[in-house]
Amino acid sequence: FQTYGEGGVVNYTLGESKVKDYAGLARTDMRMRRRVDEGMVGRGVYFARGSRFSTSAVHTEADVELASEAFSAALKEATGSE
């Protein structure tokens, strides 16, 4: 699991090695990423699946907490570690 981004924009990848270039990105687990993304959408967090997350001044602490909890639950569900 790797996150990257700047400011209010963040993205993540799932895989064994650190992504440094396109070849590294191609080695990530995009099927797992889709399962996690779908799990988040199913938990009420909308974003462009397979893309980045953006936060802004209109997001409340509750919004950020909801997204964080949805991500954790979706990741556990997708990996079978519930």
Side-chain angles (χ1 to χ4, degrees):
F1 174 70
Q2 178 183 347
T3 61
Y4 53 96
E6 196 170 315
V9 178
V10 67
N11 204 340
Y12 74 97
T13 57
L14 300 167
E16 297 297 318
S17 60
K18 194 167 195 162
V19 174
K20 298 178 186 174
D21 53 25
Y22 180 77
L25 182 62
R27 289 190 299 271
T28 63
D29 192 341
M30 290 307 292
R31 280 190 211 154
M32 179 73 67
R33 165 73 193 244
R34 281 190 289 279
R35 287 195 299 265
V36 173
D37 288 356
E38 291 296 325
M40 290 183 67
V41 170
R43 289 170 172 82
V45 178
Y46 176 78
F47 64 102
R49 287 165 247 180
S51 188
R52 65 187 186 272
F53 301 90
S54 299
T55 58
S56 72
V58 300
H59 289 107
T60 65
E61 286 187 38
D63 293 329
V64 174
E65 186 66 25
L66 172 73
S68 177
E69 290 174 1
F71 179 79
S72 293
L75 183 61
K76 286 178 183 175
E77 181 180 73
T79 59
S81 61
E82 285 191 277

